[in-house]
Amino acid sequence: MPVNFPSIDPAQLQPVAGVTLGWAEGNIRKPNRKDVLVISLDEGTTVAGVFTKNRFCAAPVIVCREHLAKAPAAGGIRALVVNTGNANAGTGEPGLADARATCAELARLTGFKAEQILPFSTGVILEPLPLDRLKAALPDALAHRDAANWFLAAQSIMTTDTLPKVASKQVTINGHTVTMTGISKGAGMIKPNMATMLGFLALDAKIAQPVLDELVKYVADRSFNCVTVDGDTSTNDSFIVMASGRSSLPEIASTNDPSYAALRDAVTAHAQTLSQLIVRDAEGATKFITIQVEDGRDVEECRKIGYSIAHSPLVKTAFFASDPNLGRILAAVGYAGVDDLDVSRIDLYLDDVHVARNGGRNPDYREEDGQRVMKQAEITVRLRLGRGQAEATIWTCDLSHDYVSINADYRS
C-alpha cells in the first residue's frame, strides 16, 4: 500500500496554457491499458531536461539529448512522445533507429520536424521496441489531446506504479499568476542520477533557454536526485521542464532577474512533491523515511552519508520490521566514504528521540522510545555531523517482502 499517498482529484488539476496531452492504448506490452502519451507544445515554448547518468542509457535518452541540442536551430521542441511497457534500452543501433522512427512518424502526423520531438520509453530492458504498435497508436493519442488530460497522462506512463502521480499548483510572483502542473512515474529501480523515473513538469512562465537549462539542473538536484528506493540507477531516467510563456509574468531572461529565485523555488517545491510521490508508492514500501544530514563540511559529504543510510538493506529491513536496531545507521555512516569523519562528534535522532550522542548511545535513550517512532508510517532520521554548516535531505522507504515479490514477478 502506498504510504500516505495524497488523494488526487482530477478536476482540481490546472491546465497549463500552451500544453495539450493525448493518450492511447497501444498494446505495447499488455492489452487494455493506456501506454502511449503525446504532449504537444505551442510554438515559443522552451524545454530543458536532465537524464540518467547510467552509461548504458536507453536509445530515447540519446535521441532526446541530440534533439535538445538541435532545438534552437530547428525552431524549438514542439512535442514529446512517451511509451510504457518497453524501455528500448540495451537494443543497440536498431533501438536508436526505432526511437528516431517514432519521432519521424509523429513529425509526419503533426507537420513538425523530427528534431522538434523528444521520445521517451520506460519498461522492460533488452527487448526490441514494438515500433509498429507504437506508430499505430499515435493518431489516437493525437485525437485525444486536451489541456485537461493531466490525470490520464499520468496513468499512461505507469509501469509498476500502483497510482498515477500528478500535482498542480499556482503561485503569484510580483503580482502575476504562474500555473504549473506535472506528472511523474517510478516505483522501483530508483536511485539518484537519476531514478527509474520519468518526470514532466509544465509551467506557463516565459523563461529564456539558458535560464531554463540552469533551472532544470537546480531543481532536479533538489528533488528527483534526492529520492532513492533500492540503489539501482536506471537506463531511461528523464526529467523535463517545459515553459510555455503564456503567463503575464515578464520573461525571465537572466538568473539575476528579481523574479527568478521565487520561480525557481516554486518549481523546486513542486518537483519535490512529484518526486516524493515516487517514494510513497515505491515497490512494497510501508514507510516513508526522510534522512536529514546536518552540520556537514559540504553538501556532497552530507548526501554521501544520507545515501549510504538510505541504500543499506540492513537499515531498510529494520525499518520494515519496526526494529530499533539503530547501530545499523551508524555503521552505514561509517562506511559512507568520508575518510576524515570524526564519529565522536556525531548525534543521531529518530524524530524527537535522541538516540546517539557524541558517537555513542545516548544514556537517556530508551528502546521503547525508538520502537514508538519505528512503528510510524513516516519517520525522520536526523544526523548531526558537527563539522560545518552544510546539510542535505534524502527521501527513501523501507524494504519489504513485497519488493522482492514484485521484482521477481516483473516480467511474468
Side-chain angles (χ1 to χ4, degrees):
M1 289 291 292
V3 183
N4 292 338
F5 200 95
S7 176
I8 298 171
D9 179 1
Q12 298 301 311
L13 299 172
Q14 298 285 339
V16 177
V19 180
T20 57
L21 310 96
W23 57 271
E25 294 182 0
N27 299 316
I28 302 300
R29 181 167 178 81
K30 296 180 180 179
N32 304 315
R33 61 169 292 175
K34 300 177 188 70
D35 55 10
V36 176
L37 170 66
V38 172
I39 303 176
S40 296
L41 307 173
D42 279 3
E43 187 175 4
T45 300
T46 49
V47 179
V50 291
F51 302 92
T52 181
K53 291 187 178 179
N54 192 319
R55 293 294 300 167
F56 219 120
C57 64
V61 170
I62 295 171
V63 175
C64 275
R65 287 172 172 153
E66 292 174 351
H67 288 189
L68 281 171
K70 296 176 181 177
I77 299 300
R78 296 299 307 278
L80 286 63
V81 55
V82 191
N83 76 268
T84 186
N86 183 297
N88 193 11
T91 49
E93 287 298 326
L96 279 170
D98 287 344
R100 294 186 175 115
T102 301
C103 296
E105 178 64 11
L106 187 56
R108 184 185 70 81
L109 294 169
T110 58
F112 303 145
K113 301 173 185 175
E115 292 81 5
Q116 292 180 295
I117 296 169
L118 302 181
F120 304 86
S121 298
T122 183
V124 179
I125 298 169
L126 208 64
E127 293 187 3
L129 183 71
L131 181 62
D132 290 346
R133 276 176 269 168
L134 176 53
K135 290 167 65 174
L138 293 179
D140 200 24
L142 290 170
H144 279 131
R145 280 180 297 178
D146 192 281
N149 275 348
W150 283 100
F151 191 80
L152 296 170
Q155 290 179 323
S156 70
I157 63 172
M158 294 167 60
T159 49
T160 58
D161 309 64
T162 68
L163 291 168
K165 300 169 177 66
V166 55
S168 187
K169 71 185 291 186
Q170 288 185 320
V171 295
T172 301
I173 299 175
N174 295 335
H176 300 273
T177 299
V178 174
T179 300
M180 58 187 75
T181 301
I183 59 177
S184 62
K185 65 78 50 183
M189 208 176 188
I190 302 292
K191 182 187 177 182
N193 295 321
M194 293 171 58
T196 301
M197 47 74 53
L198 299 176
F200 305 106
L201 193 159
L203 67 159
D204 57 6
K206 187 173 182 60
I207 308 174
Q209 188 66 58
V211 178
L212 191 63
D213 291 339
E214 185 72 21
L215 182 143
V216 72
K217 294 173 185 176
Y218 180 98
V219 170
D221 208 32
R222 290 157 179 80
S223 57
F224 289 101
N225 280 343
C226 293
V227 297
T228 182
V229 169
D230 46 23
D232 271 1
T233 297
S234 172
T235 54
N236 291 61
D237 315 326
S238 307
F239 172 51
I240 302 295
V241 176
M242 302 157 276
S244 70
R246 300 285 290 274
S247 169
S248 62
L249 181 71
E251 180 181 17
I252 298 177
S254 166
T255 56
N256 295 321
D257 188 300
S259 298
Y260 174 73
L263 182 65
R264 178 200 65 195
D265 292 347
V267 175
T268 299
H270 198 52
Q272 287 175 344
T273 296
L274 290 170
S275 61
Q276 288 177 23
L277 291 179
I278 291 173
V279 177
R280 293 188 182 281
D281 189 34
E283 292 170 348
T286 68
K287 296 177 181 176
F288 180 89
I289 302 163
T290 299
I291 301 173
Q292 296 176 192
V293 183
E294 305 171 0
D295 301 341
R297 184 168 296 165
D298 53 45
V299 172
E300 181 180 359
E301 75 173 20
C302 291
R303 287 182 174 171
K304 185 179 290 188
I305 289 171
Y307 295 147
S308 186
I309 297 168
H311 293 156
S312 166
L314 290 178
V315 171
K316 295 167 82 69
T317 50
F319 276 111
F320 172 64
S322 300
D323 176 18
N325 189 354
L326 302 175
R328 293 178 174 182
I329 296 177
L330 295 182
V333 173
Y335 64 63
V338 181
D339 295 335
D340 63 344
L341 186 65
D342 184 354
V343 298
S344 69
R345 305 184 69 178
I346 289 177
D347 280 12
L348 171 65
Y349 297 81
L350 279 187
D351 281 4
D352 60 331
V353 178
H354 195 173
V355 176
R357 176 185 295 167
N358 297 330
R361 183 185 176 110
N362 178 8
D364 298 327
Y365 170 68
R366 297 184 304 167
E367 181 88 353
E368 55 266 33
D369 291 333
Q371 192 162 56
R372 166 178 58 79
V373 176
M374 293 286 276
K375 288 180 178 179
Q376 298 171 178
E378 302 218 14
I379 301 166
T380 297
V381 176
R382 181 169 166 243
L383 198 73
R384 300 182 62 186
L385 303 181
R387 42 193 276 129
Q389 302 296 317
E391 60 183 42
T393 300
I394 307 297
W395 298 287
T396 190
C397 60
D398 57 343
L399 184 61
S400 71
H401 306 294
D402 285 346
Y403 175 86
V404 177
S405 298
I406 290 167
N407 282 282
D409 298 337
Y410 178 59
R411 297 206 308 160
S412 300

PDB file of all heavy atoms in Angstrom, residues 43-68:
ATOM      1  N   GLU A  43       4.120  26.872 -30.108  1.00  0.00           N
ATOM      2  CA  GLU A  43       5.345  27.498 -30.588  1.00  0.00           C
ATOM      3  C   GLU A  43       5.835  28.531 -29.580  1.00  0.00           C
ATOM      4  O   GLU A  43       5.039  29.264 -28.987  1.00  0.00           O
ATOM      5  CB  GLU A  43       5.089  28.170 -31.934  1.00  0.00           C
ATOM      6  CG  GLU A  43       6.345  28.699 -32.603  1.00  0.00           C
ATOM      7  CD  GLU A  43       6.070  29.244 -33.990  1.00  0.00           C
ATOM      8  OE1 GLU A  43       4.882  29.269 -34.396  1.00  0.00           O
ATOM      9  OE2 GLU A  43       7.038  29.636 -34.675  1.00  0.00           O
ATOM     10  N   GLY A  44       7.130  28.569 -29.359  1.00  0.00           N
ATOM     11  CA  GLY A  44       7.714  29.503 -28.405  1.00  0.00           C
ATOM     12  C   GLY A  44       7.972  28.908 -27.037  1.00  0.00           C
ATOM     13  O   GLY A  44       8.623  29.534 -26.194  1.00  0.00           O
ATOM     14  N   THR A  45       7.492  27.680 -26.806  1.00  0.00           N
ATOM     15  CA  THR A  45       7.765  27.006 -25.533  1.00  0.00           C
ATOM     16  C   THR A  45       9.246  26.642 -25.449  1.00  0.00           C
ATOM     17  O   THR A  45       9.818  26.114 -26.408  1.00  0.00           O
ATOM     18  CB  THR A  45       6.920  25.725 -25.416  1.00  0.00           C
ATOM     19  OG1 THR A  45       5.535  26.062 -25.478  1.00  0.00           O
ATOM     20  CG2 THR A  45       7.207  24.999 -24.105  1.00  0.00           C
ATOM     21  N   THR A  46       9.861  26.942 -24.320  1.00  0.00           N
ATOM     22  CA  THR A  46      11.240  26.496 -24.097  1.00  0.00           C
ATOM     23  C   THR A  46      11.221  25.198 -23.295  1.00  0.00           C
ATOM     24  O   THR A  46      10.354  24.990 -22.432  1.00  0.00           O
ATOM     25  CB  THR A  46      12.067  27.562 -23.366  1.00  0.00           C
ATOM     26  OG1 THR A  46      11.352  28.025 -22.209  1.00  0.00           O
ATOM     27  CG2 THR A  46      12.375  28.727 -24.267  1.00  0.00           C
ATOM     28  N   VAL A  47      12.169  24.333 -23.585  1.00  0.00           N
ATOM     29  CA  VAL A  47      12.202  22.994 -22.998  1.00  0.00           C
ATOM     30  C   VAL A  47      13.639  22.680 -22.587  1.00  0.00           C
ATOM     31  O   VAL A  47      14.582  22.942 -23.331  1.00  0.00           O
ATOM     32  CB  VAL A  47      11.702  21.931 -24.000  1.00  0.00           C
ATOM     33  CG1 VAL A  47      11.768  20.535 -23.378  1.00  0.00           C
ATOM     34  CG2 VAL A  47      10.281  22.248 -24.457  1.00  0.00           C
ATOM     35  N   ALA A  48      13.795  22.106 -21.384  1.00  0.00           N
ATOM     36  CA  ALA A  48      15.114  21.681 -20.917  1.00  0.00           C
ATOM     37  C   ALA A  48      14.959  20.378 -20.148  1.00  0.00           C
ATOM     38  O   ALA A  48      13.881  20.075 -19.619  1.00  0.00           O
ATOM     39  CB  ALA A  48      15.753  22.762 -20.042  1.00  0.00           C
ATOM     40  N   GLY A  49      16.035  19.602 -20.079  1.00  0.00           N
ATOM     41  CA  GLY A  49      15.940  18.319 -19.396  1.00  0.00           C
ATOM     42  C   GLY A  49      17.257  17.855 -18.824  1.00  0.00           C
ATOM     43  O   GLY A  49      18.332  18.331 -19.206  1.00  0.00           O
ATOM     44  N   VAL A  50      17.150  16.928 -17.894  1.00  0.00           N
ATOM     45  CA  VAL A  50      18.296  16.198 -17.371  1.00  0.00           C
ATOM     46  C   VAL A  50      17.968  14.711 -17.464  1.00  0.00           C
ATOM     47  O   VAL A  50      16.801  14.313 -17.413  1.00  0.00           O
ATOM     48  CB  VAL A  50      18.639  16.599 -15.922  1.00  0.00           C
ATOM     49  CG1 VAL A  50      19.188  18.009 -15.865  1.00  0.00           C
ATOM     50  CG2 VAL A  50      17.432  16.483 -15.015  1.00  0.00           C
ATOM     51  N   PHE A  51      19.019  13.893 -17.570  1.00  0.00           N
ATOM     52  CA  PHE A  51      18.818  12.487 -17.885  1.00  0.00           C
ATOM     53  C   PHE A  51      19.711  11.608 -17.009  1.00  0.00           C
ATOM     54  O   PHE A  51      20.608  12.083 -16.317  1.00  0.00           O
ATOM     55  CB  PHE A  51      19.112  12.237 -19.362  1.00  0.00           C
ATOM     56  CG  PHE A  51      18.265  13.057 -20.283  1.00  0.00           C
ATOM     57  CD1 PHE A  51      18.708  14.301 -20.729  1.00  0.00           C
ATOM     58  CD2 PHE A  51      17.030  12.608 -20.690  1.00  0.00           C
ATOM     59  CE1 PHE A  51      17.922  15.076 -21.569  1.00  0.00           C
ATOM     60  CE2 PHE A  51      16.234  13.380 -21.537  1.00  0.00           C
ATOM     61  CZ  PHE A  51      16.680  14.613 -21.968  1.00  0.00           C
ATOM     62  N   THR A  52      19.448  10.309 -17.103  1.00  0.00           N
ATOM     63  CA  THR A  52      20.216   9.328 -16.354  1.00  0.00           C
ATOM     64  C   THR A  52      21.719   9.478 -16.584  1.00  0.00           C
ATOM     65  O   THR A  52      22.153   9.896 -17.671  1.00  0.00           O
ATOM     66  CB  THR A  52      19.795   7.900 -16.735  1.00  0.00           C
ATOM     67  OG1 THR A  52      20.544   6.949 -15.970  1.00  0.00           O
ATOM     68  CG2 THR A  52      20.020   7.631 -18.207  1.00  0.00           C
ATOM     69  N   LYS A  53      22.510   9.128 -15.575  1.00  0.00           N
ATOM     70  CA  LYS A  53      23.961   9.073 -15.724  1.00  0.00           C
ATOM     71  C   LYS A  53      24.440   7.638 -15.924  1.00  0.00           C
ATOM     72  O   LYS A  53      25.642   7.378 -15.926  1.00  0.00           O
ATOM     73  CB  LYS A  53      24.638   9.710 -14.507  1.00  0.00           C
ATOM     74  CG  LYS A  53      24.420  11.223 -14.442  1.00  0.00           C
ATOM     75  CD  LYS A  53      25.233  11.856 -13.333  1.00  0.00           C
ATOM     76  CE  LYS A  53      25.052  13.377 -13.312  1.00  0.00           C
ATOM     77  NZ  LYS A  53      25.823  14.016 -12.229  1.00  0.00           N
ATOM     78  N   ASN A  54      23.508   6.710 -16.078  1.00  0.00           N
ATOM     79  CA  ASN A  54      23.863   5.335 -16.396  1.00  0.00           C
ATOM     80  C   ASN A  54      24.510   5.294 -17.781  1.00  0.00           C
ATOM     81  O   ASN A  54      23.936   5.771 -18.756  1.00  0.00           O
ATOM     82  CB  ASN A  54      22.601   4.465 -16.366  1.00  0.00           C
ATOM     83  CG  ASN A  54      22.900   2.981 -16.403  1.00  0.00           C
ATOM     84  OD1 ASN A  54      23.777   2.525 -17.123  1.00  0.00           O
ATOM     85  ND2 ASN A  54      22.154   2.212 -15.624  1.00  0.00           N
ATOM     86  N   ARG A  55      25.715   4.741 -17.873  1.00  0.00           N
ATOM     87  CA  ARG A  55      26.415   4.701 -19.151  1.00  0.00           C
ATOM     88  C   ARG A  55      25.671   3.832 -20.165  1.00  0.00           C
ATOM     89  O   ARG A  55      25.830   3.989 -21.366  1.00  0.00           O
ATOM     90  CB  ARG A  55      27.841   4.155 -18.951  1.00  0.00           C
ATOM     91  CG  ARG A  55      28.743   5.076 -18.134  1.00  0.00           C
ATOM     92  CD  ARG A  55      29.021   6.377 -18.864  1.00  0.00           C
ATOM     93  NE  ARG A  55      29.686   6.157 -20.139  1.00  0.00           N
ATOM     94  CZ  ARG A  55      29.825   7.082 -21.082  1.00  0.00           C
ATOM     95  NH1 ARG A  55      29.299   8.279 -20.920  1.00  0.00           N
ATOM     96  NH2 ARG A  55      30.464   6.803 -22.198  1.00  0.00           N
ATOM     97  N   PHE A  56      24.849   2.904 -19.677  1.00  0.00           N
ATOM     98  CA  PHE A  56      24.073   2.042 -20.546  1.00  0.00           C
ATOM     99  C   PHE A  56      22.712   2.689 -20.797  1.00  0.00           C
ATOM    100  O   PHE A  56      21.673   2.054 -20.655  1.00  0.00           O
ATOM    101  CB  PHE A  56      23.886   0.660 -19.909  1.00  0.00           C
ATOM    102  CG  PHE A  56      23.983  -0.476 -20.882  1.00  0.00           C
ATOM    103  CD1 PHE A  56      24.950  -1.454 -20.714  1.00  0.00           C
ATOM    104  CD2 PHE A  56      23.123  -0.581 -21.956  1.00  0.00           C
ATOM    105  CE1 PHE A  56      25.051  -2.516 -21.600  1.00  0.00           C
ATOM    106  CE2 PHE A  56      23.208  -1.635 -22.845  1.00  0.00           C
ATOM    107  CZ  PHE A  56      24.174  -2.609 -22.666  1.00  0.00           C
ATOM    108  N   CYS A  57      22.726   3.961 -21.159  1.00  0.00           N
ATOM    109  CA  CYS A  57      21.464   4.695 -21.280  1.00  0.00           C
ATOM    110  C   CYS A  57      20.672   4.203 -22.487  1.00  0.00           C
ATOM    111  O   CYS A  57      21.225   3.685 -23.459  1.00  0.00           O
ATOM    112  CB  CYS A  57      21.694   6.193 -21.348  1.00  0.00           C
ATOM    113  SG  CYS A  57      22.600   6.754 -22.790  1.00  0.00           S
ATOM    114  N   ALA A  58      19.355   4.398 -22.410  1.00  0.00           N
ATOM    115  CA  ALA A  58      18.448   3.910 -23.432  1.00  0.00           C
ATOM    116  C   ALA A  58      18.522   4.749 -24.701  1.00  0.00           C
ATOM    117  O   ALA A  58      18.915   5.917 -24.684  1.00  0.00           O
ATOM    118  CB  ALA A  58      17.024   3.906 -22.886  1.00  0.00           C
ATOM    119  N   ALA A  59      18.063   4.163 -25.804  1.00  0.00           N
ATOM    120  CA  ALA A  59      18.070   4.849 -27.097  1.00  0.00           C
ATOM    121  C   ALA A  59      17.314   6.175 -27.052  1.00  0.00           C
ATOM    122  O   ALA A  59      17.811   7.182 -27.576  1.00  0.00           O
ATOM    123  CB  ALA A  59      17.498   3.925 -28.172  1.00  0.00           C
ATOM    124  N   PRO A  60      16.114   6.253 -26.439  1.00  0.00           N
ATOM    125  CA  PRO A  60      15.425   7.544 -26.429  1.00  0.00           C
ATOM    126  C   PRO A  60      16.172   8.628 -25.668  1.00  0.00           C
ATOM    127  O   PRO A  60      16.054   9.817 -26.016  1.00  0.00           O
ATOM    128  CB  PRO A  60      14.066   7.223 -25.778  1.00  0.00           C
ATOM    129  CG  PRO A  60      14.239   5.909 -25.123  1.00  0.00           C
ATOM    130  CD  PRO A  60      15.269   5.180 -25.896  1.00  0.00           C
ATOM    131  N   VAL A  61      16.938   8.261 -24.661  1.00  0.00           N
ATOM    132  CA  VAL A  61      17.736   9.253 -23.949  1.00  0.00           C
ATOM    133  C   VAL A  61      18.775   9.862 -24.889  1.00  0.00           C
ATOM    134  O   VAL A  61      18.980  11.084 -24.917  1.00  0.00           O
ATOM    135  CB  VAL A  61      18.414   8.618 -22.714  1.00  0.00           C
ATOM    136  CG1 VAL A  61      19.438   9.568 -22.102  1.00  0.00           C
ATOM    137  CG2 VAL A  61      17.371   8.218 -21.672  1.00  0.00           C
ATOM    138  N   ILE A  62      19.424   9.019 -25.669  1.00  0.00           N
ATOM    139  CA  ILE A  62      20.419   9.511 -26.629  1.00  0.00           C
ATOM    140  C   ILE A  62      19.770  10.461 -27.630  1.00  0.00           C
ATOM    141  O   ILE A  62      20.291  11.540 -27.932  1.00  0.00           O
ATOM    142  CB  ILE A  62      21.083   8.323 -27.353  1.00  0.00           C
ATOM    143  CG1 ILE A  62      21.887   7.472 -26.361  1.00  0.00           C
ATOM    144  CG2 ILE A  62      21.983   8.807 -28.490  1.00  0.00           C
ATOM    145  CD1 ILE A  62      22.400   6.165 -26.931  1.00  0.00           C
ATOM    146  N   VAL A  63      18.601  10.080 -28.143  1.00  0.00           N
ATOM    147  CA  VAL A  63      17.919  10.908 -29.134  1.00  0.00           C
ATOM    148  C   VAL A  63      17.428  12.208 -28.503  1.00  0.00           C
ATOM    149  O   VAL A  63      17.511  13.277 -29.123  1.00  0.00           O
ATOM    150  CB  VAL A  63      16.766  10.121 -29.785  1.00  0.00           C
ATOM    151  CG1 VAL A  63      15.973  11.013 -30.735  1.00  0.00           C
ATOM    152  CG2 VAL A  63      17.310   8.910 -30.531  1.00  0.00           C
ATOM    153  N   CYS A  64      16.918  12.144 -27.277  1.00  0.00           N
ATOM    154  CA  CYS A  64      16.482  13.368 -26.596  1.00  0.00           C
ATOM    155  C   CYS A  64      17.630  14.365 -26.461  1.00  0.00           C
ATOM    156  O   CYS A  64      17.460  15.565 -26.731  1.00  0.00           O
ATOM    157  CB  CYS A  64      15.941  13.039 -25.204  1.00  0.00           C
ATOM    158  SG  CYS A  64      14.216  12.550 -25.169  1.00  0.00           S
ATOM    159  N   ARG A  65      18.788  13.891 -26.065  1.00  0.00           N
ATOM    160  CA  ARG A  65      19.948  14.777 -25.931  1.00  0.00           C
ATOM    161  C   ARG A  65      20.303  15.408 -27.269  1.00  0.00           C
ATOM    162  O   ARG A  65      20.600  16.607 -27.353  1.00  0.00           O
ATOM    163  CB  ARG A  65      21.129  13.997 -25.363  1.00  0.00           C
ATOM    164  CG  ARG A  65      20.995  13.650 -23.880  1.00  0.00           C
ATOM    165  CD  ARG A  65      22.098  12.717 -23.437  1.00  0.00           C
ATOM    166  NE  ARG A  65      22.098  12.521 -21.985  1.00  0.00           N
ATOM    167  CZ  ARG A  65      22.565  11.436 -21.375  1.00  0.00           C
ATOM    168  NH1 ARG A  65      23.086  10.444 -22.099  1.00  0.00           N
ATOM    169  NH2 ARG A  65      22.536  11.339 -20.057  1.00  0.00           N
ATOM    170  N   GLU A  66      20.261  14.610 -28.332  1.00  0.00           N
ATOM    171  CA  GLU A  66      20.566  15.136 -29.665  1.00  0.00           C
ATOM    172  C   GLU A  66      19.560  16.210 -30.074  1.00  0.00           C
ATOM    173  O   GLU A  66      19.939  17.280 -30.577  1.00  0.00           O
ATOM    174  CB  GLU A  66      20.539  13.992 -30.683  1.00  0.00           C
ATOM    175  CG  GLU A  66      21.661  12.978 -30.533  1.00  0.00           C
ATOM    176  CD  GLU A  66      21.510  11.797 -31.478  1.00  0.00           C
ATOM    177  OE1 GLU A  66      20.444  11.682 -32.127  1.00  0.00           O
ATOM    178  OE2 GLU A  66      22.438  10.989 -31.573  1.00  0.00           O
ATOM    179  N   HIS A  67      18.284  15.948 -29.858  1.00  0.00           N
ATOM    180  CA  HIS A  67      17.246  16.868 -30.302  1.00  0.00           C
ATOM    181  C   HIS A  67      17.208  18.141 -29.472  1.00  0.00           C
ATOM    182  O   HIS A  67      16.941  19.225 -30.008  1.00  0.00           O
ATOM    183  CB  HIS A  67      15.892  16.166 -30.302  1.00  0.00           C
ATOM    184  CG  HIS A  67      15.742  15.165 -31.406  1.00  0.00           C
ATOM    185  ND1 HIS A  67      14.545  14.548 -31.707  1.00  0.00           N
ATOM    186  CD2 HIS A  67      16.648  14.669 -32.300  1.00  0.00           C
ATOM    187  CE1 HIS A  67      14.719  13.724 -32.730  1.00  0.00           C
ATOM    188  NE2 HIS A  67      15.993  13.778 -33.089  1.00  0.00           N
ATOM    189  N   LEU A  68      17.489  18.037 -28.190  1.00  0.00           N
ATOM    190  CA  LEU A  68      17.557  19.255 -27.378  1.00  0.00           C
ATOM    191  C   LEU A  68      18.712  20.142 -27.830  1.00  0.00           C
ATOM    192  O   LEU A  68      18.597  21.375 -27.841  1.00  0.00           O
ATOM    193  CB  LEU A  68      17.707  18.900 -25.892  1.00  0.00           C
ATOM    194  CG  LEU A  68      16.428  18.467 -25.180  1.00  0.00           C
ATOM    195  CD1 LEU A  68      16.741  17.931 -23.792  1.00  0.00           C
ATOM    196  CD2 LEU A  68      15.429  19.616 -25.080  1.00  0.00           C
TER     197      LEU A  68
END
